[in-house]
Amino acid sequence: MSLEKVQQNHKSKITRYRTLGANMPADLTSDYKKLIEKNKNLIILGSAEAIISWDMETKMPPKAVQLRSEQLALLSEVHHKMSISPATGKLLETIQKNAGYNNLGKVEKRNVHLVKKNYDEQTKLPTKLVKAIAKQTAVSINTWKKAKAAKDYNMFKPELQKLVDLNTQAAEIFMKVKQTKTPYDALLDIYEPKMTTEATEKVFNELQQGLKTLLAKIANSKRPIKKIPQKVPVDNQQEIANMLMQTLGYETPPSPNAAGRLDETEHPFTTGYYDDVRITTHYHPENFVSSIFSVLHETGHALYEQGLPQEWKYTPIGSACSMGVHESQSRLYENVIGRSEEFWTPLFSKMKNIAPQCLANLKIDEFIRFINSVERSKIRIESDEVTYCLHIIIRFQIEKDLFAGKIKVTELPAIWNQKYLDLLGVTIENDSEGVMQDTHWASGLYGYFPTYALGNIYSGQIIAAMQKEMPNWRAELAGGSLESVRKWLRDNIYCYGNLYDPVEFIKKATGTELTVKPYLNYLQEKFGKLYGF
Amino acid sequence: MSLEKVQQNHKSKITRYRTLGANMPADLTSDYKKLIEKNKNLIILGSAEAIISWDMETKMPPKAVQLRSEQLALLSEVHHKMSISPATGKLLETIQKNAGYNNLGKVEKRNVHLVKKNYDEQTKLPTKLVKAIAKQTAVSINTWKKAKAAKDYNMFKPELQKLVDLNTQAAEIFMKVKQTKTPYDALLDIYEPKMTTEATEKVFNELQQGLKTLLAKIANSKRPIKKIPQKVPVDNQQEIANMLMQTLGYETPPSPNAAGRLDETEHPFTTGYYDDVRITTHYHPENFVSSIFSVLHETGHALYEQGLPQEWKYTPIGSACSMGVHESQSRLYENVIGRSEEFWTPLFSKMKNIAPQCLANLKIDEFIRFINSVERSKIRIESDEVTYCLHIIIRFQIEKDLFAGKIKVTELPAIWNQKYLDLLGVTIENDSEGVMQDTHWASGLYGYFPTYALGNIYSGQIIAAMQKEMPNWRAELAGGSLESVRKWLRDNIYCYGNLYDPVEFIKKATGTELTVKPYLNYLQEKFGKLYGF
């Protein structure tokens, strides 16, 4: 499909959504507007909290820690009170009882649904439980840090147990509210609405099988990966980051059109809303590649947020679809595009010119092979594109059994270590490089891990759909232009905002049901070429 | 007085304040605690708003302007609603009716007074008027910018008139609430509580007389001021700023004890609370002296905020006394200390070493004379230590007559120009360098200007008191130590927080009633030496 056609197609979509819901009865229109207005305050307050949190990670003087925790606690209390406002409850009731409700347009219905979902989640959880979880989360994180440093799971175990118990209580309440089959489904639903354990298990099993086959082929490959020079001074790395952001069309100050910015933090992240979406990276002086892929990953997240339909700003559907879809966008820029030869073809010599003292002798094919080297590792965040999802699958399998009561907190290390041996063939020496490596479980984020792998699966479907409509996209990339890709993503992904839950979104956006095949095909093709099979 | 004695003296002061108010009846104690707890939320919310505003000036991507205005408007609405909470009104009433109220300690009584003052101010002003002022302020500022660029007072006049009218309405309401003699007194009271037009006029008349005499002597002086090299690259200026902040004991990241930070903005300012007080400066590549005195000025403000008693944090008295007292602290570091030869004696060669390519041939006495050169100018913010207060006196005289109905908005330019000719001997060519030079009147800040000159007057009294207790302070400064000065300010100025209104504060802190003499003596001595009279 030509670019113009894609754009036209997109325009008609948007117009259709806009006109649906005309001819609403006056009282319904008025109540709906009130609801949206009330919810706008929640969105704006949330975006202000994001700035305060961003400041804490990037600019805050160290002495301000206690004051900042007071500020965040107060804002979160104000936010919670706004969320559970009885006026919102009444509006929701009146709107849903209105005779005209069923004739509401898609946009309005979805907006009402999203407000109601948040209202139910916030009101159904007893305040006592919310506070207990907040308190225990702080304790668990703190204990996790100490236990990880001491390589002592027994120290962490009782605090993890308490947090799991409290979140089980919450999950059981959510299960009723959301009418899910299991408590773990209710947790999954927080990050990936309407996604089920069953559906996840199905695609993850296929994925695991496919990755196993691929890994075996790579292991048999005779092509070794050459080490490359990795030391690049931080100010050169900053220049490389600027080049990448510019290439992707993510503008930062002093550009007068900037709706983003880049700063340095310990762990990279993206935060913000529409016209103010900021990313961070971490510069390792001994490993310049690390920041490159952090910048590409976070820029992928940021472009999604910035690219949501402007006409939906301040309304519930003017938000990302899910964590998984968000991750599809970051992985797409980080891996599919960012680790491709086509992407680097026009950029490689520019990068070398930024740090010629370090990179003068580096060759593009060495670089591409290096950034795509596959190695079975113990640590998720150090793993490559092929093994990454195996790390996630292990966590998913453990989480679902834990919340199904099939395994106990005390058994986690043994099960973890066995699965790492079975799936990745590595031997875990201690629990700090094993079950305690991630912050997620200590932070009460259960049901979150699967979205990382789902994001990869979605990215495969998305790339396949893009490829079908624009078979030339890789050639355009090699020619130095990301314009078509950016336009396509805007017109086929970002344009949906939060209009659908992810399962339905992926169908609308790619034309196919959730399937792991395109992602496996993409990996097979890419690594087959690199490793010669 | 020895340092130890000063410190002992301070300790006994604080202890006295602390123990007052013991043996309160249980119901009064409980209500008082509730009131303080409610007010704590207001303070914390205010500090969060400050971060959001700071971000807007320093880090925000340009596209976020509209989103930011939504965030600030919402937070300000939440703040206002918290301020006028009926629960606060009831608590105030119950506390003041309690039989034990009169036996409350000084600290508790002052805290109740400050909460009540804010509550009254916030509740007595009709919401309609508050909104009208907010709206008109935005319009007036916008029109002022355009009119100033076009040098066209007639363009600005109608919008200024509306803003003056609205603020007159507010002043008349405040006059009743605060029981002041005139509406202008009620405006003054916002920035300098309990200060009156009468008292201000008295000291300003004396000040004007003294400055006139001094200016005449300087005009007769035969000692010319030599121009010095002014170009210094911005990164060198940043290093100079770091040296100055370090010297003053204002810590910024990466120091692990930092409770402040320095960034660059168009107009320098200070913002924050206790452990997070940030300053900004502006680097002019062609005028390195400018940033030096911005940094010293803002650091003076910041050290005051950071130095407020830690035990009063989150309570009403844990705040600055007034705008005037705040200004006394910034002027003290900027002018009294920062433009003294003693201050630069240990720092001058360090500064030269930072930018030897620009400053190698500069001599300390040339530098000191240059940074203290006196010239009658048209623009307040470019004026020197001697003429500065004349600019303020002109504004005060006009403001008080304007709000007394003695002069009209339409007459402002003519009156302004006449006063500049009379007091400063300069001819105003157009209203952009005349009556429209400052943002204050366009921003609805009436009664604010006098605090700048009051700050200078206070600084004279404070220095005289310090001199009496530590006759050696200038020698210590020349020896490279600011420790005694910092300690003295902490123990004699910062320690009072907001325990007294400024008139009483200055008596407590310096032992003398408000008087302009020490400030004039200080100027006479300093400029007499520099200009040889």
Side-chain angles (χ1 to χ4, degrees):
Chain A
M1 197 185 288
S2 76
L3 261 182
E4 287 68 30
K5 201 159 164 219
V6 171
Q7 215 175 6
Q8 238 174 16
N9 187 28
H10 167 61
K11 267 190 193 148
S12 63
K13 261 183 223 164
I14 294 294
T15 314
R16 198 173 69 235
Y17 296 148
R18 262 194 196 150
T19 51
L20 281 172
N23 305 322
M24 275 158 67
D27 58 340
L28 184 55
T29 303
S30 151
D31 285 343
Y32 176 77
K33 279 191 183 158
K34 275 184 211 155
L35 187 75
I36 293 298
E37 204 51 42
K38 283 187 90 57
N39 194 72
K40 181 181 171 184
N41 283 345
L42 270 182
I43 292 171
I44 290 169
L45 186 58
S47 71
E49 290 174 84
I51 296 294
I52 301 271
S53 297
W54 172 87
D55 181 85
M56 180 167 68
E57 302 294 334
T58 55
K59 307 293 171 193
M60 186 183 82
K63 262 203 174 173
V65 171
Q66 195 269 338
L67 171 61
R68 185 54 49 95
S69 73
E70 296 269 5
Q71 291 163 338
L72 288 172
L74 176 66
L75 291 174
S76 144
E77 194 189 319
V78 171
H79 197 123
H80 181 67
K81 275 188 188 158
M82 264 192 204
S83 297
I84 60 167
S85 143
T88 301
K90 267 182 207 156
L91 278 171
L92 282 167
E93 215 176 304
T94 322
I95 289 170
Q96 291 184 304
K97 275 185 187 160
N98 192 299
Y101 174 71
N102 281 327
N103 299 324
L104 272 187
K106 187 192 288 289
V107 161
E108 290 80 8
K109 257 194 189 151
R110 179 70 179 176
N111 274 333
V112 173
H113 163 78
L114 290 171
V115 174
K116 184 165 167 25
K117 189 175 185 235
N118 179 56
Y119 177 79
D120 285 345
E121 284 176 6
Q122 299 285 325
T123 48
K124 296 286 153 58
L125 229 46
T127 313
K128 215 178 138 186
L129 181 57
V130 174
K131 284 193 179 165
I133 289 178
K135 213 173 148 187
Q136 184 58 41
T137 304
V139 174
S140 299
I141 291 177
N142 201 27
T143 311
W144 165 72
K145 282 182 189 162
K146 287 181 200 156
K148 191 177 173 181
K151 300 179 186 169
D152 181 2
Y153 181 73
N154 281 328
M155 189 195 285
F156 179 42
K157 198 170 65 181
E159 302 307 335
L160 176 62
Q161 182 71 60
K162 285 180 211 160
L163 193 59
V164 167
D165 289 346
L166 287 167
N167 277 281
T168 303
Q169 284 181 48
E172 277 161 1
I173 294 168
F174 279 152
M175 186 174 84
K176 282 172 209 155
V177 179
K178 301 174 176 188
Q179 300 180 299
T180 62
K181 255 195 193 171
T182 66
Y184 186 67
D185 279 347
L187 293 175
L188 262 182
D189 184 88
I190 298 172
Y191 310 103
E192 208 63 16
K194 296 271 185 293
M195 184 58 68
T196 62
T197 311
E198 219 173 277
T200 308
E201 207 162 13
K202 188 170 165 289
V203 285
F204 279 14
N205 282 343
E206 269 184 76
L207 182 58
Q208 185 181 333
Q209 205 46 52
L211 294 177
K212 214 179 136 184
T213 312
L214 194 59
L215 263 180
K217 289 185 194 167
I218 291 170
N220 288 331
S221 159
K222 299 280 179 292
R223 295 199 190 163
I225 304 287
K226 212 180 123 183
K227 284 265 172 234
I228 65 165
Q230 285 262 71
K231 275 192 197 179
V232 170
V234 166
D235 52 349
N236 291 153
Q237 292 195 38
Q238 283 169 341
E239 255 189 273
I240 295 172
N242 285 336
M243 175 191 79
L244 294 170
M245 293 187 297
Q246 223 172 338
T247 305
L248 267 56
Y250 174 68
E251 294 194 53
T252 59
S255 157
N257 289 318
R261 56 176 290 129
L262 170 67
D263 294 86
E264 190 178 4
T265 51
E266 185 60 31
H267 302 287
F269 66 85
T270 303
T271 187
Y273 189 70
Y274 272 98
D275 301 321
D276 189 353
V277 185
R278 308 175 182 195
I279 67 168
T280 70
T281 188
H282 189 87
Y283 301 109
H284 300 269
E286 315 278 316
N287 174 7
F288 82 104
V289 167
S290 171
S291 165
I292 287 180
F293 293 100
S294 291
V295 168
L296 291 171
H297 181 99
E298 305 305 336
T299 300
H301 280 307
L303 291 174
Y304 181 22
E305 288 288 334
Q306 292 180 343
L308 293 169
Q310 281 288 330
E311 62 272 32
W312 292 348
K313 202 195 276 182
Y314 303 133
T315 70
I317 54 167
S319 62
C321 171
S322 71
M323 297 302 295
V325 175
H326 232 306
E327 197 68 7
S328 79
Q329 295 311 297
S330 55
R331 293 282 165 180
L332 199 147
Y333 272 113
E334 177 195 350
N335 289 338
V336 184
I337 290 173
R339 294 184 202 266
S340 72
E341 186 167 352
E342 294 86 354
F343 178 70
W344 285 102
T345 302
L347 294 180
F348 189 69
S349 62
K350 286 188 195 168
M351 178 174 80
K352 282 175 62 165
N353 285 338
I354 290 171
Q357 77 285 13
C358 312
L359 306 174
N361 297 319
L362 187 61
K363 293 195 177 59
I364 186 164
D365 62 312
E366 288 168 3
F367 178 68
I368 297 299
R369 288 178 57 76
F370 181 78
I371 61 177
N372 285 296
S373 55
V374 176
E375 243 172 300
R376 296 163 199 258
S377 74
K378 298 173 188 177
I379 307 295
R380 175 182 62 88
I381 59 165
E382 290 168 9
S383 68
D384 54 78
E385 213 178 339
V386 177
T387 56
Y388 186 86
C389 285
L390 293 174
H391 292 264
I392 298 304
I393 290 169
I394 291 173
R395 285 156 179 76
F396 164 72
Q397 291 174 350
I398 295 178
E399 278 186 350
K400 81 174 165 52
D401 285 352
L402 184 66
F403 280 89
K406 289 185 190 164
I407 57 177
K408 293 188 174 19
V409 165
T410 195
E411 299 168 318
L412 292 187
I415 295 171
W416 180 283
N417 296 354
Q418 187 60 47
K419 283 185 184 288
Y420 263 79
L421 194 61
D422 294 348
L423 267 72
L424 280 154
V426 294
T427 305
I428 304 298
E429 309 277 343
N430 63 65
D431 296 331
S432 297
E433 59 171 38
V435 71
M436 291 197 295
Q437 69 179 261
D438 299 309
T439 178
H440 300 60
W441 289 348
S443 308
L445 300 173
Y446 312 109
Y448 186 112
F449 276 126
T451 69
Y452 291 135
L454 287 168
N456 281 326
I457 298 175
Y458 298 153
S459 77
Q461 292 185 254
I462 288 166
I463 284 295
M466 189 171 83
Q467 175 90 28
K468 215 168 156 188
E469 290 191 8
M470 303 196 304
N472 257 342
W473 75 274
R474 284 192 183 267
E476 284 186 42
L477 210 59
S481 168
L482 264 162
E483 214 23 72
S484 311
V485 171
R486 294 186 54 213
K487 224 181 242 308
W488 193 89
L489 289 174
R490 257 197 322 266
D491 296 347
N492 292 274
I493 305 295
Y494 308 165
C495 67
Y496 287 102
N498 198 347
L499 196 61
Y500 302 107
D501 289 323
V503 174
E504 205 177 344
F505 157 80
I506 203 72
K507 255 191 290 183
K508 296 271 177 192
T510 69
T512 49
E513 305 266 347
L514 178 64
T515 162
V516 79
K517 283 189 189 64
Y519 183 59
L520 285 174
N521 287 344
Y522 150 76
L523 289 178
Q524 163 67 37
E525 193 172 330
K526 172 174 176 180
F527 288 91
K529 202 174 144 200
L530 281 162
Y531 283 85
F533 52 82
Chain B
M1 199 185 288
S2 76
L3 262 182
E4 287 68 31
K5 200 156 165 219
V6 170
Q7 217 177 5
Q8 239 175 18
N9 188 26
H10 168 60
K11 268 192 194 147
S12 63
K13 261 182 219 164
I14 293 294
T15 315
R16 197 171 69 233
Y17 296 150
R18 264 195 196 148
T19 50
L20 281 171
N23 307 322
M24 276 159 68
D27 58 341
L28 185 55
T29 303
S30 151
D31 285 344
Y32 175 77
K33 279 190 182 159
K34 277 185 210 154
L35 188 75
I36 294 299
E37 203 51 40
K38 282 187 91 56
N39 194 72
K40 181 181 170 184
N41 283 344
L42 271 181
I43 293 170
I44 290 169
L45 185 59
S47 72
E49 289 174 84
I51 296 293
I52 301 272
S53 297
W54 172 87
D55 182 84
M56 180 167 68
E57 301 294 334
T58 54
K59 307 293 170 193
M60 187 182 81
K63 262 203 175 172
V65 171
Q66 195 268 338
L67 171 62
R68 186 54 48 95
S69 74
E70 296 269 4
Q71 291 164 339
L72 287 172
L74 176 65
L75 290 175
S76 143
E77 195 190 318
V78 171
H79 196 123
H80 181 66
K81 275 188 189 157
M82 261 192 207
S83 297
I84 61 167
S85 144
T88 301
K90 267 182 208 156
L91 277 172
L92 282 168
E93 216 176 302
T94 322
I95 288 170
Q96 290 183 306
K97 274 185 187 161
N98 192 300
Y101 175 70
N102 281 327
N103 299 325
L104 274 186
K106 186 192 288 291
V107 161
E108 290 81 9
K109 256 193 188 151
R110 179 70 178 176
N111 274 334
V112 172
H113 163 79
L114 290 171
V115 174
K116 184 164 167 25
K117 188 173 186 237
N118 180 56
Y119 177 80
D120 286 345
E121 285 175 8
Q122 298 286 324
T123 49
K124 297 287 154 57
L125 230 44
T127 313
K128 214 178 138 186
L129 182 57
V130 174
K131 283 192 180 167
I133 290 178
K135 213 174 149 186
Q136 185 56 41
T137 304
V139 174
S140 299
I141 291 176
N142 201 26
T143 311
W144 166 73
K145 283 182 189 161
K146 288 180 198 157
K148 190 177 173 181
K151 299 179 185 171
D152 181 0
Y153 181 73
N154 281 329
M155 189 195 287
F156 179 43
K157 198 171 65 180
E159 303 307 336
L160 177 61
Q161 182 70 61
K162 285 180 212 160
L163 194 57
V164 167
D165 289 347
L166 287 167
N167 278 280
T168 303
Q169 283 180 49
E172 276 162 3
I173 293 167
F174 280 152
M175 187 174 84
K176 281 172 209 157
V177 179
K178 301 175 176 189
Q179 300 179 301
T180 62
K181 255 193 191 172
T182 66
Y184 186 67
D185 279 346
L187 293 174
L188 262 182
D189 184 86
I190 297 172
Y191 310 102
E192 208 62 16
K194 297 268 185 294
M195 184 56 69
T196 62
T197 312
E198 220 174 279
T200 308
E201 208 162 15
K202 188 172 164 284
V203 286
F204 279 14
N205 283 343
E206 267 183 77
L207 182 59
Q208 184 181 334
Q209 206 44 53
L211 294 177
K212 214 179 136 184
T213 313
L214 195 59
L215 263 180
K217 288 184 193 167
I218 291 169
N220 287 332
S221 158
K222 298 282 181 289
R223 296 198 190 166
I225 303 287
K226 211 179 124 185
K227 284 264 173 234
I228 64 166
Q230 284 263 70
K231 274 192 198 179
V232 170
V234 166
D235 52 348
N236 291 154
Q237 292 194 38
Q238 283 169 342
E239 256 189 273
I240 295 172
N242 285 337
M243 176 190 79
L244 294 170
M245 293 187 296
Q246 223 173 337
T247 305
L248 268 56
Y250 175 68
E251 294 193 53
T252 59
S255 155
N257 288 319
R261 55 176 291 128
L262 170 68
D263 294 86
E264 191 177 3
T265 52
E266 185 60 31
H267 302 287
F269 66 86
T270 303
T271 188
Y273 188 70
Y274 272 99
D275 300 320
D276 189 353
V277 185
R278 308 175 182 195
I279 68 168
T280 70
T281 188
H282 189 86
Y283 301 109
H284 299 269
E286 315 277 316
N287 174 7
F288 80 104
V289 166
S290 172
S291 166
I292 287 179
F293 292 101
S294 291
V295 168
L296 292 172
H297 181 98
E298 304 306 336
T299 301
H301 280 306
L303 291 174
Y304 181 21
E305 288 288 335
Q306 292 180 342
L308 292 169
Q310 281 287 333
E311 62 272 31
W312 292 348
K313 201 195 274 181
Y314 304 132
T315 71
I317 54 167
S319 61
C321 172
S322 72
M323 297 302 294
V325 175
H326 232 307
E327 198 68 9
S328 79
Q329 295 312 297
S330 54
R331 293 284 164 179
L332 198 148
Y333 273 113
E334 177 195 351
N335 290 338
V336 184
I337 290 173
R339 293 183 203 267
S340 72
E341 187 167 351
E342 294 86 355
F343 178 70
W344 286 101
T345 303
L347 294 179
F348 189 69
S349 61
K350 285 187 195 169
M351 178 174 78
K352 282 175 62 165
N353 285 338
I354 290 172
Q357 78 285 15
C358 312
L359 305 174
N361 297 320
L362 187 61
K363 292 194 177 60
I364 187 164
D365 62 313
E366 288 168 4
F367 178 68
I368 298 298
R369 286 177 60 75
F370 181 79
I371 61 177
N372 284 297
S373 54
V374 175
E375 242 172 301
R376 296 162 199 261
S377 74
K378 298 172 186 178
I379 306 295
R380 175 181 62 87
I381 60 164
E382 290 169 8
S383 68
D384 54 77
E385 213 178 337
V386 176
T387 57
Y388 186 87
C389 285
L390 294 173
H391 292 265
I392 298 305
I393 289 169
I394 290 172
R395 285 154 178 78
F396 165 73
Q397 291 174 351
I398 295 177
E399 278 187 345
K400 80 175 166 54
D401 284 353
L402 183 66
F403 281 89
K406 290 185 189 164
I407 56 179
K408 292 186 174 23
V409 165
T410 195
E411 300 167 317
L412 292 187
I415 295 170
W416 180 284
N417 297 354
Q418 189 59 47
K419 283 187 185 287
Y420 263 80
L421 195 61
D422 294 347
L423 267 72
L424 281 153
V426 293
T427 305
I428 304 299
E429 309 278 342
N430 64 65
D431 296 330
S432 297
E433 58 171 40
V435 70
M436 290 197 295
Q437 68 179 263
D438 300 308
T439 179
H440 299 62
W441 290 348
S443 309
L445 300 173
Y446 312 110
Y448 186 112
F449 276 126
T451 68
Y452 290 135
L454 287 169
N456 281 326
I457 298 175
Y458 298 153
S459 77
Q461 293 185 253
I462 288 166
I463 285 295
M466 188 170 82
Q467 175 90 29
K468 214 169 157 187
E469 290 191 8
M470 303 196 303
N472 257 343
W473 75 275
R474 283 192 184 268
E476 283 187 42
L477 211 57
S481 169
L482 264 162
E483 215 23 71
S484 311
V485 171
R486 294 185 56 214
K487 223 182 244 303
W488 192 89
L489 290 173
R490 260 198 320 266
D491 297 346
N492 292 275
I493 305 297
Y494 308 164
C495 67
Y496 287 102
N498 199 346
L499 196 61
Y500 302 106
D501 287 325
V503 175
E504 203 176 345
F505 157 80
I506 203 71
K507 252 191 292 184
K508 295 271 177 190
T510 69
T512 50
E513 304 267 345
L514 179 64
T515 163
V516 80
K517 284 190 186 66
Y519 183 58
L520 285 174
N521 288 345
Y522 151 76
L523 289 177
Q524 164 66 38
E525 193 173 331
K526 173 174 175 177
F527 288 92
K529 202 174 143 200
L530 281 162
Y531 282 85
F533 53 80

